[in-house]
Amino acid sequence: MDLLTPLIFLILLSPIPLSEAGSIGVNYGRISDELPSAFKVVQLLKSQGIDRVKIFDADPSVLKALSGSGIKVTVDLPNELLFSAAKRTSFAVSWVKRNVAAYHPSTQIESIAVGNEVFVDTHNTTSFLIPAMRNIHKALMSFNIHSDIKISSPLALSALQNSYPSSSGSFRPELVDSVIKPMLDFLRETGSRLMINVYPFFAYEGNSDVIPLDYALLRENPGMVDSGNGLRYFNLFDAQIDAVFAAMSALKYDDIEIIVTETGWPSKGDENEVGATLANAASYNGNLIRRILTRGGTPLRPKADLTVYLFALFNENKKLGPTSERNYGLFFPDEKKVYDIPFTTEGLKHYRDGGHTPVTGGDQTTTKPPMSGGVSKSLNGHSWCVANGDAGEEKLQGGLDYACGEGGADCSSIQPGANCYSPDTLEAHASFAFNSYYQKKGRAGGSCYFGGAAYVVSQPPKYGRCEFPTGY
């Protein structure tokens, strides 16, 4: 990172004209037992000027409530239905008839997310993704609504082999020919955009010693120059987006646009979740909204106005995982704002980021001892996290799904044919996933817990010929 001249700082601090550029939507997750009715949620969205919403299924009550609202909707075909949609055209037609054609156009369904972060799904659904996408598209054609409704599939950034610097962005080699190229071919054929989920919070949380907080929160900062292309980046969000653009460009798909289907920052976290605070969440989402609605594209694609879906509309009290997972919401279940930020260009005229002092710890005001299984890297040297076989199948599976999904663990080694697939047992696979998560979190206190389904050991685990890493 290098410093800019005072002139550049003056440019950064000068007023920015508020003209329409990108678009802001919100993810409406419902893993909670205390949320308002779908009809009340629609009224909340309209009162805030939010005109795009993404749901993680195709729930009839939600789609009915959205009818006639003028809000554009993205529905989701869940991962567990990919096999059926891929293998049976009749299933795809029935699903589209029941969940899309029955509501459109009164409910303005504009896109279908086929699966979600499929490459990190522990149920090995990757091979079904492209056939499912094509069958769903054929089903849309049979109802003559394929021109109105686009199809894509949200990718996690873990689909990238390299993301830093942005100019070196590339997809994981094992995915390129089997999935990435066929997907991009499909998107090109149908005029659809690549859906990606982008969380600067995860990068900052794991690298807070090298990533400046202001850079992660889209505050004023000197910026960083990409050593590969000479472009200067003023925030991590843009850098991550351009890593995906660079990865597509390397495969000669420069014409594919991007839509950000998830991004957000938690307002509360466990002690080891660095940066998960109310002030930081408000800064990130408020500054991101301002950046999307006023500043156009990215350094690599300056004309690429982005549609971005914030995660998430509500805090969801039934989500598994660390405290942060239940605290990404923009609103509490009683519809009060978690923090005050605008969602429209008009609202931005009076908005100013209230965060001035960098805050890097959790929200706790008292120091708590580590949860069972927590071991500090600085005190204990090498250690590993393994599954507790006595915890029960439900806890192990829930922990495995979280670690390999939203937790960001590297679970490629427990896929069929990979080094650690054998032995093919839930305990062995969960142990590998838990350890990957634990090591990526720097073996921090509380990162080997998973609701009591894991514990720390000081000797290398033995599962077949699998070697468990001690760091990433």
Side-chain angles (χ1 to χ4, degrees):
M1 183 170 65
D2 59 341
L3 297 177
L4 294 176
T5 64
L7 176 60
I8 298 295
F9 272 112
L10 288 173
I11 294 174
L12 279 172
L13 295 171
S14 62
I16 299 169
L18 297 178
S19 58
E20 290 292 341
S23 176
I24 290 291
V26 67
N27 283 275
Y28 173 20
R30 305 190 311 282
I31 306 178
S32 174
D33 59 4
E34 53 187 16
L35 297 183
S37 70
F39 285 98
K40 286 187 176 181
V41 170
V42 171
Q43 295 307 309
L44 174 64
L45 294 172
K46 293 177 71 174
S47 71
Q48 299 297 320
I50 299 172
D51 60 5
R52 276 190 162 92
V53 67
K54 177 175 165 286
I55 58 178
F56 293 91
D57 50 22
D59 185 83
S61 64
V62 175
L63 294 177
K64 288 177 183 176
L66 286 162
S67 177
S69 66
I71 297 172
K72 297 179 176 66
V73 185
T74 295
V75 298
D76 182 82
L77 175 79
N79 289 357
E80 56 265 26
L81 299 182
L82 288 176
F83 174 84
S84 298
K87 295 298 183 181
R88 305 200 325 265
T89 303
S90 60
F91 177 88
V93 171
S94 175
W95 188 89
V96 167
K97 179 180 180 180
R98 185 173 62 255
N99 298 292
V100 180
Y103 302 98
H104 184 79
S106 179
T107 299
Q108 295 184 35
I109 300 174
E110 64 174 346
S111 59
I112 300 172
V114 177
N116 184 54
E117 299 188 346
V118 173
F119 302 154
V120 294
D121 184 1
T122 58
H123 297 96
N124 306 318
T125 53
T126 298
S127 62
F128 308 127
L129 178 58
I130 306 305
M133 293 175 73
R134 290 197 172 276
N135 280 345
I136 293 295
H137 181 67
K138 290 176 185 177
L140 291 177
M141 293 178 66
S142 71
F143 292 100
N144 197 31
I145 52 178
H146 58 288
S147 297
D148 298 337
I149 302 171
K150 300 302 180 181
I151 294 172
S152 189
S153 183
L155 305 185
L157 276 190
S158 58
L160 296 182
Q161 177 77 7
N162 296 305
S163 61
Y164 180 82
S166 299
S167 57
S168 70
S170 62
F171 291 106
R172 283 162 44 190
E174 71 272 19
L175 297 175
V176 170
D177 291 326
S178 60
V179 190
I180 297 296
K181 283 185 176 180
M183 178 189 290
L184 295 176
D185 284 336
F186 172 82
L187 298 180
R188 178 180 280 166
E189 293 167 15
T190 58
S192 301
R193 292 179 286 179
L194 179 67
M195 294 177 169
I196 61 170
N197 296 341
V198 177
Y199 286 92
F201 167 71
F202 293 142
Y204 175 77
E205 179 195 20
N207 303 276
S208 59
D209 56 334
V210 294
I211 298 177
L213 183 61
D214 287 348
Y215 184 73
L217 297 180
L218 295 89
R219 293 174 179 161
E220 283 87 358
N221 66 91
M224 298 185 181
V225 174
D226 186 311
S227 59
N229 58 23
L231 295 174
R232 185 177 296 276
Y233 287 86
F234 293 100
N235 64 79
L236 185 53
F237 176 86
D238 280 356
Q240 291 182 327
I241 297 296
D242 275 356
V244 180
F245 275 129
M248 288 197 294
S249 181
L251 299 178
K252 310 301 182 186
Y253 290 91
D254 296 278
D255 54 320
I256 306 295
E257 296 181 4
I258 280 176
I259 180 170
V260 179
T261 35
E262 287 183 33
T263 190
W265 196 287
S267 60
K268 186 178 181 181
D270 295 321
E271 289 182 21
N272 63 301
E273 294 189 280
V274 179
T277 72
L278 187 71
N280 289 347
S283 289
Y284 177 77
N285 283 313
N287 290 332
L288 178 65
I289 291 169
R290 182 179 181 87
R291 177 251 175 280
I292 295 301
L293 294 183
T294 65
R295 300 189 187 182
T298 66
L300 188 62
R301 298 284 181 87
K303 295 183 180 180
D305 292 340
L306 297 170
T307 294
V308 173
Y309 288 83
L310 302 177
F311 186 89
L313 185 57
F314 294 108
N315 284 339
E316 299 171 69
N317 68 326
K318 291 298 184 180
K319 295 198 75 173
L320 298 174
T323 297
S324 62
E325 286 299 311
R326 295 173 288 283
N327 289 279
Y328 275 89
L330 300 165
F331 293 87
F332 293 110
D334 63 2
E335 302 180 47
K336 293 179 181 177
K337 284 186 174 182
V338 177
Y339 40 82
D340 191 18
I341 58 171
F343 301 101
T344 64
T345 303
E346 182 65 26
L348 285 172
K349 293 178 180 178
H350 311 289
Y351 172 72
R352 184 184 178 200
D353 177 7
H356 300 291
T357 303
V359 183
T360 56
D363 271 336
Q364 292 81 358
T365 56
T366 60
T367 301
K368 298 179 181 179
M371 292 182 287
S372 173
V375 175
S376 168
K377 174 177 62 174
S378 61
L379 296 178
N380 293 273
H382 288 321
S383 57
W384 296 261
C385 181
V386 296
N388 177 6
D390 295 330
E393 183 176 340
E394 184 177 353
K395 276 193 174 182
L396 289 178
Q397 188 64 58
L400 175 63
D401 291 345
Y402 171 77
C404 292
E406 296 172 53
D410 181 0
C411 296
S412 58
S413 294
I414 54 176
Q415 303 304 313
N419 293 341
C420 295
Y421 181 70
S422 179
D424 181 16
T425 67
L426 179 58
E427 183 177 342
H429 288 182
S431 291
F432 188 91
F434 292 171
N435 184 65
S436 174
Y437 178 88
Y438 175 62
Q439 303 296 341
K440 285 195 171 189
K441 295 295 182 182
R443 302 191 289 275
S447 60
C448 181
Y449 183 62
F450 296 94
Y455 62 97
V456 170
V457 295
S458 58
Q459 297 297 318
K462 296 290 185 182
Y463 289 96
R465 298 180 179 179
C466 181
E467 294 185 4
F468 281 45
T470 56
Y472 284 84

